[in-house]
Every structure is written in C-alpha cells, then in structure tokens.
Amino acid sequence: MSELRKKSPADLSAKLAGETRYLHDLNFPGQLVGAIYRSPYAHARILSINVERAKQVEGVAAVLTADDLPSYKYGPTKFKDWNLLAKDRVLFIGDEIVAIAAETKEAAQRALELVEVEFEPLPGVFDPEDSLKPGAPLLHEDVESNKPMQVSVSRGDLEEGKRKAAVVKGGRYYSNRVYQGHLEPVGAIASWSDEEGITIWAPSHIPYRARETYAAGFGLPEDKVRIIVPPIGGSFGAKYVLKVHVIAAALAMAARRHVKIILDRYEDMITAHPRVPLTFDIEIGADEEGRFVYKELTVYADAGARVYWSPNVVSTVCTRADNIYHFGSVKSEGYLCYTNNSPTTCMRGFGNAEMLFAVESVIDEIALELNMDPAELRLKNIVHQGDTTLHGYRLDTCKLDECIEKVKELSGWHRRASLPPYRGLGLAVANHVSGFRAIDPRFDGSTAVIRLKQDGGIEVETGEIELGQGMSLTYARIASKILGIPEEAILVKSGDTGRYPFGIGTLASRSTVMGGNAVQKAAQSLAARLKELARETLGEAADFREGAAVLEGQTYSLSELASWYRARHAGEELEIKETYVPDTDLPDATYFGHPSPNYPFAAHVAEVEVDPDTGRTKVIGYWAVHDSGTIIHETMAKGQVLGAIAQGVGWVTMEDLLVKDGKVMNPSMMDYRMPGANDMPKAEVFFIQGKDPNGPLGAKSIGEVALDPVPGAIANAIAHATGKRGYALPLSAEKVWKSLQNT
Amino acid sequence: MSELRKKSPADLSAKLAGETRYLHDLNFPGQLVGAIYRSPYAHARILSINVERAKQVEGVAAVLTADDLPSYKYGPTKFKDWNLLAKDRVLFIGDEIVAIAAETKEAAQRALELVEVEFEPLPGVFDPEDSLKPGAPLLHEDVESNKPMQVSVSRGDLEEGKRKAAVVKGGRYYSNRVYQGHLEPVGAIASWSDEEGITIWAPSHIPYRARETYAAGFGLPEDKVRIIVPPIGGSFGAKYVLKVHVIAAALAMAARRHVKIILDRYEDMITAHPRVPLTFDIEIGADEEGRFVYKELTVYADAGARVYWSPNVVSTVCTRADNIYHFGSVKSEGYLCYTNNSPTTCMRGFGNAEMLFAVESVIDEIALELNMDPAELRLKNIVHQGDTTLHGYRLDTCKLDECIEKVKELSGWHRRASLPPYRGLGLAVANHVSGFRAIDPRFDGSTAVIRLKQDGGIEVETGEIELGQGMSLTYARIASKILGIPEEAILVKSGDTGRYPFGIGTLASRSTVMGGNAVQKAAQSLAARLKELARETLGEAADFREGAAVLEGQTYSLSELASWYRARHAGEELEIKETYVPDTDLPDATYFGHPSPNYPFAAHVAEVEVDPDTGRTKVIGYWAVHDSGTIIHETMAKGQVLGAIAQGVGWVTMEDLLVKDGKVMNPSMMDYRMPGANDMPKAEVFFIQGKDPNGPLGAKSIGEVALDPVPGAIANAIAHATGKRGYALPLSAEKVWKSLQNT
C-alpha cells in the first residue's frame, strides 16, 4: 500500500520531502500559458477593445474578449453578478477584460502589452456606508441599489433589555481587509475535449459548487465540467470558486490545448479576495450583577465589486455570537454593500472571528466598568450543555465552562492583577459550527464510498477536500478504528468531481463531522458486510474482527475476503456507499434554527508585552483550551490551533491589506507583513475531551473555532497592557503607539 | 440529453456522419509516434542489438530494448509466454525487438532503419502436427513440448456407438487462417503519470483482462493501469489483449509523453492474430434410421508462436457441437500446437463456427448416403427444449426444431430436388452460448450502475464493451422498458477501467445476457426505489409508473424525483449498483457443466450458383432463422445476422491469409480479398421469438450464433450444386474448379 499512499495529499512525509505535486508542478504536454488583461481603473466605461495587434504576436494561440464568450450571469451563491470577461464596464482595479493564451509567458506578456482598451473613467465608491447613500454610483445595473443583501435579526424584547441595562458598552469596531496569505497563489490548468467537456485542475475546496457555477457560466450541463483538485497550497477561504479557473477554461476551449494560469504574487494580491472588511456599530448592555440584557448591532460589509461569499459572512456576523452568551435580547442589522474595491470573501472564521473580536472587546469593557473579572463575567453569561441558544442551536455537548476554568489555570490568570506595566493578559471565548445547514438550502451532509481492494487494502472516497487540515488522516483513522486495520492500509481519495461522490466541500469547519460521519457509517457498514461475507463463506461460526475473518482460531486476511466477494459478484470489488445526513434544522427566515450537528467551543488567553516607545505588541504567551469533543488526530488538531494562533497574531498585530480608492497599496509580501516564527508566542494547547453524540467517534470541529477567539484574546490583552481599547484591526504598532500618546 | 447522447458509441447517427472519434482521431498535445522494429526471421537467435545510431536521430525521444524493461512472463490466459520485447530469440516474423518513440513518423522510421540486430537463423516449424513430432524445434524453453494444452473429452460408450453404426462419414477437414478484417488496424495511445500510472487508450473489448495482463507485464498493481476504450472500429476477436498496447505503454513510461502507435495495414496483417487454423480428423456414425451413434474427433490447432486465446478455441471445438445433436457417444482429442507462425486467436464463432463447418458437412454426407433429406436427418438428431445435453447444458428454451421448419419454408427447401445444374441449397444449424462460465474460472456475470441525474436523465454504467454490436442501444432499451422513459433519456457509459464497474468484457456473445441482466436488475431496483421515494415524498398513495411519480392524477418528473432524492442524501445523486451472477455450473475437469444462462440456436439455408468454368461460387440466396429468445433491438440483431452472412460468404468463398514458412504472403487488402456489397446474397432474417427465463426481457445471444452455421450452409450448398464435397476452407474458385475437373 505504501506506493499507493503517496497519492494521498495526506502524506505528510511527501510534503516534507518536497514530493507533493501542487498545481505549479503539474504540466501537460503542449500546455499554453494564460494571461489576463485587467482594468487599471476602479470604475470605468469600456469604449473600445482592440486585440488585433495582440493576436499577431508569434506564439499567441488565443485572445478572448467578452464578445467571444457566452454572456450568462452566474456566481457561486444566489447572487449572480459574475461575467466571463468585462464587456461595457469595469468595476474594480483588476477586473478581467481580455484573456490570452500563448506558447510562452513572454509571448503572452508581449500580447498583453499590445492590447488596446479605451476607457472612460467613472466615479467610484469605496466605502460600504457611502455606497448606500443616494447618488452613489450604482455598480450593477440590474440591481436596485448597491445593497445586494440585508440581514435583519431580532430576538427577545430589546426595549425591555435596554430598560434593564445598568451598564452599556460598545462603539464602532472595525475588522480589516486581511489577505489569506496562502503560500500558493491562485491558479488553474484547464483543458477541453469533445468527449469530456471542460476539465479544470483547480485547487478549490468546494469543487462541486465550482462545477455548478462554471457550468452555469458557460451554459453547459454540469456533467460537461469536471474539477480535479490537486494538493492545495493553503487557502483559508481564498480558494473556493474563482474567475481565474473560468478564464483558464475559456482559453482551453478556444485553443483546444491545456492552458495554465497561476497568478504571480502581485497579481494575486491586487485582485485578492480578502477577508470581508466589517464595520460594527455594537452595544451590549448588562444589569448590575453583570447579566447581559441586550446586544444591538449594525454592520456594514464591503463586498467589493462582485459577490463571492460575503453574504454568508454577513449572516454569520449577525447571528453566531448570540449562541455563545445569553444576551437576553438581540437586534442585528447587516448590510452587504457593493464598492469598487476588489471582491472580498470569507476567510477562516467566516465572520465569527471578526464579530467575536468586537463582542469580546465590549465584554471586557463591561467587566472593567463593573469591576468584575472578565472570566467571571463570561462564566455568568455563557451557554451550557443542554441549552438551546437564542437562535435555536441545541447544545448536546458544551464544555465552555470547563474550558474557561482550564485556561485560567494553565495561563496563570491569577497573575493578571500583578503583571508589570505594559504586560497584559486577555481572555476570549468562542463557539463555532461543524458544518452549517444553510450553506446549501437544498441539502446538507456528506457521502463516502468505502471499497475493499483485491490486495486487501481499503479505499475511502469522499467529495470533501483535503486542504492541509488533516482530513485524509482523520478519515483514515476513523476507518482504521472501526475496521481494526492499520491506517497505512487505507487510502483516502478525493478531489475529482468526475470520480468521487458529491460533497459540499471543506468550509464551515465541516470536513471532520460531515465527511467523518459518512466515513464512519460506511466503515461500519463494511465491517458488518465483511462479517456476513465471512459467515457466507466459512459458516455461521465465523466472525470478522480486527481486520480479519476468523474461524476456530484460523484467520483469513482482507485480501482473502476480497477474493470471496469477487467470486460471488462477477469480479466486482466490495464497495459500500453511505450518506450521512445531519439531524439539523435549516434556519428559518428569522434565522432561527439548529444548523449544525454539534458546536465546538474554546477559551483562549493571550499574554502580551507592548513596547511603549514603538507601540509594538509582542505576544509572549498563549493558552488555548478547546472543547472539540473527541480529538481524532491530535497532531493535526494541535496543528490547527497553533496555525490559528499564528494567523491571529498576524491579523491582530500586523496584517492589513491597504486599499486606497480601490487600489491595493501594499501588494507584495515585503509590504504586507505576515508573522514569522519569531512572532509566535510560546503556546499551549489543551483539549477537554468528551464524546459528542453527533460526531464521528464523538468529534466536533476544530478548524475555525481555533481562530475565532484569537483576535479578542490578543485585543483584550493589549487593552489590559495599555489601558487603551483598540477598536480597529489591526492593532498595529502605529495605532497602539498613537493610543498611548493620548494618555 | 441529446448533447450527452453523442458521447455514446451507440450513437449511430454520429457514426454515419463521420463524427465518431476513433483512436485514429484521438490526439494529445505533445504526443509522440511509436514504431516497432520487428523480426524478419520466423525463428532466430538474437546475437546483438545496437540502437546507438537510432538514438542519435533527431526527434527520437525513446528507444527501448528488452534490457530496458522488466522481464516478467505474462499473458492474457493462464499460459504466460509473453515478453515485453524479445531478448534472446525471436519466434515469428514480426516478433517485437526494439520500440521507438519519436516526434514524427519520419523520425521514427529513420531510427528504425538504423537499428542493427544480428541474428542467427534457426530452423522453424510451421505446421501444428509437425510441431509435435520428436526433433521439432522447441519454441519455449520453459515448456516441455510445443503442446501447451491438450483437451481430451469423452462421453458415452464410443465402442458401442461404433458397433451400432450403419453409416460412417468423415475425413480430414480444415478451417483456415482468417484475418478479422477490421476496418481499423490495431493500435493504442498510452500515457504515464506519477499519480495515475499507465493510461492506455486501447480499442479492446476485454479491457479489465487487458489491465490485469499489462499490470503483470510491468510488475505494477492493477490500480496503476487504466484502460480507456475509444469507439472500436471493428474487431471480431482481434482486439482483446495486444502487445502493441503494452509497447505503447512502455514507450510512454520512458518518454513521459503520450505515445501513439497504430499499425498500418501491412504491419497489421503480417503480425495479425487471425482465426486459429484447425485441422479436424472427424468421423460421425449413424444407425440405419439415421440416428447418430458416435462422433470421434482429433483436432490440431495452430497457436502460432505465443498463446493468445487459442486454448479456449480448442476447448470449444472439442465440446460445443456435442450440445446440438444427440451423438450418443463422443470422443475428442484437441492439440494446441506452438509454431513459428504469428500468434493466432479467436474470431467470431470461437471454434464453434469452424467445428460446425466440419460437422454440418459430415452430416450432409450421411444424409446423402442414407438418401435422407438433410433437414429430416437433423430434425431426427437435434436437441430439444428441456433437454440436458451430452456435456451438461440445460436447455430451458430451444426452438431449433421450429427454426429448421421455418427456414425450409422461407427458403423454398422443396425446390432442392429440382434446381438447375450448378445450383445448390445447403442447410446448417448451430447453437452457441450467451456468455461462458469458464472464461474466468474465478467468477462470471456482470455489474451495472444506474444513476438518476439531476436533469432527470438516466446514466447506465457497465464494464462490458460496445464494439458496434449494439450493446449500448440494447441496454438503453432494457432500462427504457423497465423505467418507462424514452431511450433518448438514457446514456450508456462504458469503456474505462478507472470509472466503471468491473466487466469480463464482450466475448462469448455475453454482452446482451450478462450485462443486460445486470442492467435489467439495476433498472428494476431503481424503479422500486423511485416508487419508495415517491411515497416518502408525496405519501403512501403515490406511485412511480411510466417514468414519473404520480399522485391523484398529478405527475412529477424524474428531475423532480432527483431533487427529492438529493435533498435527503446530501446532494448525492440516486445511484444503484446491481450484479447479475448467472445460475450456471463451471465445467468440470471432464468438460461437463452448464456454462451459460441460455443457449441460442439457428438454422440457415444458403443457395449458391457455381460457375463450372471458373469454379467461382456466387451465394444468391440466404435465409437465416434464429431462436435468440426475445429480440430486444431488432435493427441491431438483424445487423448482426446480415454482417455474419457477409463475413461467412467471405470466409467460405474467398478469404485466406496465406502463410509460407511463417511469412504472410498476401498482407494487403488488394491480395486478401474480402466480400463487397456485390457478393452479398439477397438475405432474409427471421426470429422465432420466445421468452427465455434467464435472459434480460427474455433474450438470448445473437452475435456469434449468427455466423456459426454460415460456413456449413454455404459448403453444403456448394456440395449440392457440384456433387463435390469441399474439405478445406476456403472453398475458393480455384479449389472448386479443381474438384470439378476430377469428375
């Protein structure tokens, strides 16, 4: 099996040895290089496009404009505002106008330089609040306003809550534009054949949605689009459904050759689909004992020029945090706003990490006002096991209280009162989902195929996607434990819409619980079937256990069982398909529902030291305690938490994709600083384990809940260290230094 | 669906419009051309191979000799006598020694010319009987003799039979070397990738056996070999498992590029794997009333230099015809013999057509001797419905008697006594199998997957192969009838070992009954599941009929049902896999068994006119009456019979692959004459229909039984016309003319 295992993106040794073949390493004979002519204007009318000179360049195989392509409107969500290439107007700097495929990069570049486009610049709008004002330039003519979506959530009696409030805290918080910072820039290879249609090698972790979206873009049946997912070199939300995939496909159809486009870092960053910037006007009220009585929120989200996954971010922002505290009453208004910035999308945390930055900051402000220990205040208000939350989440398991107690203990929380100056300890908590019922209102869950190979190995097929989080190792371990065979004998296969079962994909922290439950169900069915097979073959006294058939002390290997099966089934291998459908409730029009099979929780403490001369924050200690049910693969789970801490340190203290009038001001890794090893605090990760009844082997998710509390914990630690509340991420050295000057 | 249907090789309109993309039409970017340096000697020692100059040719990407390749012995049957390339010895003219891949055909050709091989010619053996004599050169050093296989079958008391015989007829009959005459020469495209291993686009109608064979040849796990089958441009047995596929793969592995090899007609014909030449020493005895009392047979089969499918031909020759007549007692000895001719293999009829040529000739001789009507003699001796035959075939249905009566009526058999000179009417009958249990002793049967697509279309996947016989149309019709939906909404997919269920393949006339039963079972399961689904969704009063869910007069389309299913199954489409395992018995060591779910029968009459001046036979009338149970697709079934008649006319009256000292003397379509439209008689095809309990919709096979009686019928007509019995096929003008000179 070891040879086969190398095919698995889960093979860490292959990654460490540099043997993993990412998109960059994939090349096909006769492959062309794709390039894109992009708008230099944030908003402009296209008066003319002349590609005649570009077409004359030697080595150019295809030059496409909107006129060469279908004009369907499409998009990955219900908001269909994508085109294949811009026709009459461009809506952001980087908007795609002309696509070129050539034999070499140099030829493509020369052709790009010869493209002539005449523009009439138009006034742009760059601030989401401004975009809603009367007279703001309208981005999409077929939409009434620049507000594709508004979320209104109201639960409980807000007025009553306000009357009860003894203390009210809040203000305008801001979560910034964060570049996902994947090592591998976005890209694709596409091909066309009459038999198969379009094939796209695309690092996407929701390839089935990508297939549906791209098929609509070309007006093709879904079966004529196949997405193959190579190992993904980082995504964090950036690699869902992307225009670059579609453009590669359009070029491949025109040139009838493989076409590869990988953006360079500059192009990736100017057209990045970063974390949705969010402006929160928030207020939380508490009574004299510190019991929360209301939360009120207005949020403006910058969708940029087109809708990617920002709608889902807005609905998460308006609801998720209300399921971790008993707020008594809540009212949220969320506005998704078109601007002439490049389109934004989700990033790990999917709005919850952003919202919790504000919520956890406000709660610390309340604790300060009430002179209460912030941990105490939280313990007084958090949800508990058995609760149904304000919006309907049913908490079959919840050890958030234990997480808070444990993180206090591990971090030495008692030191908080006696830290030296400019040192601070900050606490934040978080909840999340393990899959989210509303991602696709049509259905939720996951399907796994499990197959006994002739050689006694096991293949597991899933529609969910490995993106480095350890999905494949996790699934192999689930099957291994149920079947009693070594993980090395199990090959997890995924990432090909033409071969594997349908999957909603890896988002909303769904892979462990959704796909894992499907794998568990399939492995259990296989074990039962193998027992039957042993009895059919050896007699009623036979059994299947620990990976082998047994009768009277004699064991028969899986490859023997495979032969028995094939003998009875015309040579076909034993294959079982099982679908897991979660027992959840689709949130209703008021956003009430039980959208996830279970809910993970976390409590984090950060310790920071702020340099008062520079304002620079150094995170010096970090403690993360998690309730993610049973931890299936501890190494990978810890890796998720440590990675999230690093990501949070970067986000809160340094990362900021600066945009001015729609133009990215720091589109390079020199100017966009991300954390290095030296920025990592000493970190301790602890799991309060327990068996959740709805998770595979008792597991809940870990991927996003690991990041959700980090901004709040670090922000609270900085406020504790400096006595100054930071309202706008990042809490960069400059901002912290400035806040200290006002003392 | 119409767009999708074009993917199906069953789409006749695409074939007629020239839109079907055969291997020849498939090309991959960067594809190399492969070429093979072959032995000019029928038997020689290789003293040295020098490819240094060949390697220097510009554009040459790979030059391989046996030293570059693994040295596993492998082969498609249990006789493992294949190599990848010849190392020390060559065994026939055309034996592969050096393989070359180059950018162009010209470069490959130049490189071929620069290959230097030093040979030491060895004495060869070219006649199968000679090859068994002491002192004959031994072809394979690891085998004791030139006789890889001997078949001995004995049933009943032969001595008793001989004592009872009042009339004995027989002699030495000979069935010749026939080129399958496929329009498309053999070839392959192969590629290699680290992820997938070897992929071979090969027109093979047993691709899973090909996969197993080639994996063994390279010492790879089966999963590292994938066979994709493009539409097949004719085969008739020639395109099973072929060295050219393996050599393309070896070159692709070396060059890491796609490599295409298609033999030209000359190369195809000199290395052809023609119909196994068979020499029959046969004797049949009958009592005074014309009841057969024994049949005795010795047969020598020329395997050529390596074993392809000749062993199965020999065992068929030694048994099949004994299941159509009550011979009383039989004794057969079959010898498979290595010679230094190019390897031979099966061709439509698989030994049965050859054997029946001899048997039906001898029976007409007996009738002549007894002064009986040949039809009468047959009716007296044939098997009937309900019989178990001499070798164990259980005939649940058999309308051979009706076939004979009907063909007499249609042909105007009564005219036989009063035909003008040199006109003759000849009758022959035949049986066959619908799949053969002993093809793979491990298992038999077939698996089908049926899938309800989102758009309401149906996909059927099978491991069996369309080779123009109409399999896909037949499967679509089976599913259509069961589900009550139009055939146009059904796409039959097959021909990819990496995607579709396991299949033994299209041989032994198995596709209709084996694969068809699997499709029938899968469609029935789907219909039942759709009824359940309708009830789950609409309530217990709902039903599924005529392709739609119905409730209170309201109908719900298949695409609605598809949505209902996906909603409950996490987006996965409804897919059912069913395996059909026939209720047969593997023939035992004595060749006793019930190897097929059912047995088709046929009675044919040919009318000929012989030109006494030239000896040339013109078949002027032909009547074919068949018992193939229910005829599922009458157009395709008739096509099979008409094609068989044409093929038989060619075989009996003109086709002969002439070999002298191992060298093919007529390797061109100019010199190897095949029948044209003008050679076709006016033909009438009639089906005596009936429902066989073991066939899908009641069907039995048609593909081979259509050819089986043709040589006998034409030979008997010639004997009737000329008064001279022809013993050796073909009954060419020259031979018939010579026979007339002896009058």
Side-chain angles (χ1 to χ4, degrees), chain A residues 7 21 29 195-196 222-223 226 444-446 453-454 499 502 566 568 570 572 575 577 581, chain B residues 7 21 29 195-196 222-223 226 445-446 453-454 459 499 502 566-568 570 572 575 577 581:
Chain A
K7 284 167 69 175
R21 282 157 50 94
E195 285 78 9
E196 301 280 333
E222 271 189 44
D223 282 348
R226 176 180 176 190
D444 196 13
S446 190
K453 299 296 296 174
Q454 296 177 55
R499 285 189 175 178
F502 183 88
R566 295 189 78 208
R568 288 195 183 80
E572 179 70 4
E575 180 183 290
K577 181 190 281 192
V581 177
Chain B
K7 284 167 69 176
R21 282 157 50 93
E195 285 78 9
E196 301 280 334
E222 271 189 42
D223 281 348
R226 176 179 176 191
S446 191
K453 299 296 296 175
Q454 298 177 55
E459 281 182 358
R499 286 190 174 177
F502 183 87
R566 294 189 79 206
R568 290 194 181 81
E572 179 71 3
E575 180 183 290
K577 181 190 281 191
V581 177

Side-chain angles (χ1 to χ4, degrees), chain A residues 128 174-180 236-237 272-280 299-304 306-315 317 335-339 341-355 651 657 729:
Chain A
Y174 173 72
S175 170
N176 61 326
R177 194 178 301 268
V178 182
Y179 177 57
Q180 287 90 347
F236 312 106
H273 314 93
R275 192 185 279 279
V276 181
L278 297 160
T279 304
F280 306 102
V299 61
Y300 298 92
D302 182 358
R306 273 186 251 281
V307 168
Y308 281 63
W309 287 84
S310 47
N312 312 57
V313 169
V314 176
S315 54
V317 159
Y335 302 99
L336 182 63
C337 312
Y338 281 129
T339 67
N341 296 316
S342 78
T344 62
T345 194
C346 53
M347 184 177 166
R348 195 178 193 181
F350 222 120
N352 196 33
E354 295 89 325
M355 184 72 248
W651 180 8
L657 197 67
L729 290 177

Side-chain angles (χ1 to χ4, degrees), chain B residues 221-498:
Chain B
E222 271 189 42
D223 281 348
K224 285 279 194 183
V225 179
R226 176 179 176 191
I227 312 284
I228 298 175
V229 183
I232 299 177
S235 164
F236 312 106
K239 292 175 184 164
Y240 275 30
V241 178
L242 292 169
K243 280 286 290 290
V244 67
H245 303 166
V246 189
I247 290 172
L251 287 168
M253 290 169 86
R256 308 233 146 196
R257 303 259 292 272
H258 284 77
V259 176
K260 182 174 190 170
I261 313 182
I262 297 185
L263 304 192
D264 63 20
R265 186 63 66 181
Y266 171 80
E267 204 177 3
D268 194 297
M269 290 186 84
I270 62 160
T271 64
H273 315 93
R275 193 184 279 278
V276 181
L278 297 160
T279 304
F280 305 101
D281 289 325
I282 183 172
E283 210 175 85
I284 298 176
D287 67 13
E288 283 163 2
E289 277 97 51
R291 271 191 210 88
F292 299 156
V293 288
Y294 80 94
K295 168 176 155 265
E296 189 170 19
L297 172 74
T298 304
V299 61
Y300 298 92
D302 181 358
R306 274 185 250 282
V307 168
Y308 281 63
W309 288 84
S310 48
N312 313 56
V313 170
V314 176
S315 53
T316 299
V317 159
C318 290
T319 53
R320 183 74 46 82
D322 305 345
N323 302 288
I324 188 167
Y325 292 113
H326 293 292
F327 280 119
S329 59
V330 297
K331 186 170 186 307
S332 302
E333 288 292 334
Y335 302 99
L336 183 63
C337 311
Y338 281 129
T339 67
N340 293 107
N341 297 317
S342 78
T344 62
T345 194
C346 53
M347 183 175 166
R348 196 179 193 180
F350 222 120
N352 196 34
E354 296 89 326
M355 185 71 248
L356 285 172
F357 155 66
V359 166
E360 293 297 277
S361 294
V362 175
I363 288 172
D364 257 34
E365 292 293 297
I366 293 173
L368 199 64
E369 177 90 7
L370 288 171
N371 201 22
M372 275 180 79
D373 180 289
E376 209 51 47
L377 180 61
R378 286 176 174 82
L379 283 167
K380 192 169 276 209
N381 288 284
I382 54 166
V383 292
H384 290 88
Q385 191 152 310
D387 285 357
T388 294
T389 69
L390 202 57
H391 297 314
Y393 296 14
R394 297 192 299 267
L395 308 180
D396 291 328
T397 59
C398 170
K399 296 181 192 293
L400 179 54
D401 47 359
E402 291 179 51
C403 290
I404 294 173
E405 296 296 355
K406 186 72 189 179
V407 82
K408 280 175 64 183
E409 174 200 327
L410 292 175
S411 63
W413 184 249
H414 60 88
R415 296 182 293 125
R416 195 166 182 269
S418 54
L419 287 175
Y422 297 107
R423 283 275 284 279
L425 275 170
L427 167 71
V429 301
N431 64 340
H432 212 86
V433 290
S434 308
F436 191 70
R437 178 64 189 83
I439 291 169
D440 194 324
R442 295 172 295 179
F443 37 69
D444 197 12
S446 191
T447 298
V449 168
I450 194 161
R451 186 180 303 112
L452 174 60
K453 299 296 296 175
Q454 298 177 55
D455 64 0
I458 298 288
E459 281 182 358
V460 172
E461 292 177 355
T462 173
E464 314 307 340
I465 300 296
E466 173 68 52
L467 45 70
Q469 83 277 42
M471 179 194 82
S472 303
L473 291 169
T474 300
Y475 292 177
R477 184 156 296 177
I478 292 170
S480 158
K481 284 195 184 290
I482 290 166
L483 292 163
I485 60 171
E487 288 169 41
E488 291 68 37
I490 300 165
L491 176 67
V492 177
K493 297 167 87 172
S494 68
D496 186 342
T497 63

